[in-house]
Amino acid sequence: LRHIDLNLLRVFDAVVSDLRMPDTDGCALWAAVRERDPGLARRFVFVLLDKFTMISFAGAIEPLRLANRVAGETLYSWVLAGEGTEKSCSNGATFRLEMGLEEMDREDTVLVCGGLDVQRTTTKGIVSWLRREARRGVTIAGICTGGHALAKAGLLDGKKATIHWENQDGFSEEFEDVKLTKSVYVMD
């Protein structure tokens, strides 16, 4: 079981590390930060949109927790962020947010967690914040339908992207400049 957990983490870490905005190198940046401070945990900021999907969120956060447990130290940390003070996921469970849409550290990895009715839950505030953080060089990725928010912010124009299969038709109609694939995940 330990081998499987670590392999899952390696896949997740590679995917997130390689999903970086143009003109940045998230992997090299993180390696330099960790070299300066070996005890520093890599921070993931989970931006929760209303009605985000619990299974996708859990699939992203649990490998981080498991890696910390197996390593016996905190390699990864995370915070829940978004607009307001709490968000409900698609199954009705509510999560308290630890921070708003503040300026991130350049070493942070932002994961936008989408779900149901993503067109409505991708607000102007989220779009503006994503654009600002992308300009600053923060690594940003989408989970489930979170790619819709990235596309709405223009961060996927001219790039390959994927989204939950239920949203593919509407996504390709709305975002003609994005090269939609039917892959489970994509790096571009």
Side-chain angles (χ1 to χ4, degrees):
L1 183 58
R2 177 181 283 201
H3 178 72
I4 292 170
D5 291 342
L6 288 175
N7 280 337
L8 179 61
L9 176 66
R10 285 186 192 112
V11 169
F12 177 72
D13 198 16
V15 168
V16 172
S17 294
D18 287 334
L19 287 172
R20 49 190 176 268
M21 302 313 302
D23 303 317
T24 66
D25 188 351
C27 294
L29 178 64
W30 178 247
V33 169
R34 186 84 173 167
E35 189 175 301
R36 278 195 319 266
D37 187 353
L40 185 65
R42 181 171 183 176
R43 187 170 88 148
F44 289 82
V45 179
F46 288 88
V47 177
L48 306 181
L49 302 180
D50 282 325
K51 302 202 181 294
F52 69 95
T53 53
M54 173 80 83
I55 195 164
S56 297
F57 171 66
I61 204 167
E62 280 299 297
L64 304 176
R65 181 191 66 79
L66 288 168
N68 289 345
R69 182 172 178 212
V70 169
E73 65 176 305
T74 303
L75 301 172
Y76 302 98
S77 67
W78 52 86
V79 295
L80 306 182
E83 295 177 306
T85 58
E86 61 182 34
K87 291 291 176 200
S88 294
C89 63
S90 58
N91 68 14
T94 301
F95 288 78
R96 183 178 42 83
L97 301 179
E98 299 164 90
M99 64 184 298
L101 300 178
E102 301 155 14
E103 191 172 289
M104 298 291 107
D105 290 334
R106 191 155 177 253
E107 297 86 12
D108 289 340
T109 299
V110 171
L111 300 172
V112 180
C113 302
L116 303 176
D117 200 14
V118 71
Q119 293 85 353
R120 182 188 62 77
T121 62
T122 302
T123 65
K124 288 180 183 179
I126 291 284
V127 169
S128 296
W129 181 81
L130 286 170
R131 287 177 180 151
R132 183 189 76 206
E133 293 306 308
R135 281 191 306 271
R136 295 184 56 254
V138 174
T139 301
I140 302 173
I143 297 175
C144 190
T145 62
H148 183 277
L150 276 65
K152 188 84 171 175
L155 305 183
L156 299 179
D157 290 352
K159 297 192 176 300
K160 287 189 272 182
T162 191
I163 196 159
H164 190 278
W165 65 269
E166 289 179 320
N167 301 81
Q168 288 179 349
D169 291 339
F171 185 91
S172 62
E173 289 172 11
E174 187 173 352
F175 305 110
E176 295 176 2
D177 293 334
V178 178
K179 301 170 192 167
L180 185 65
T181 72
K182 296 191 183 219
S183 301
V184 174
Y185 68 89
V186 65
M187 297 176 277
D188 189 6

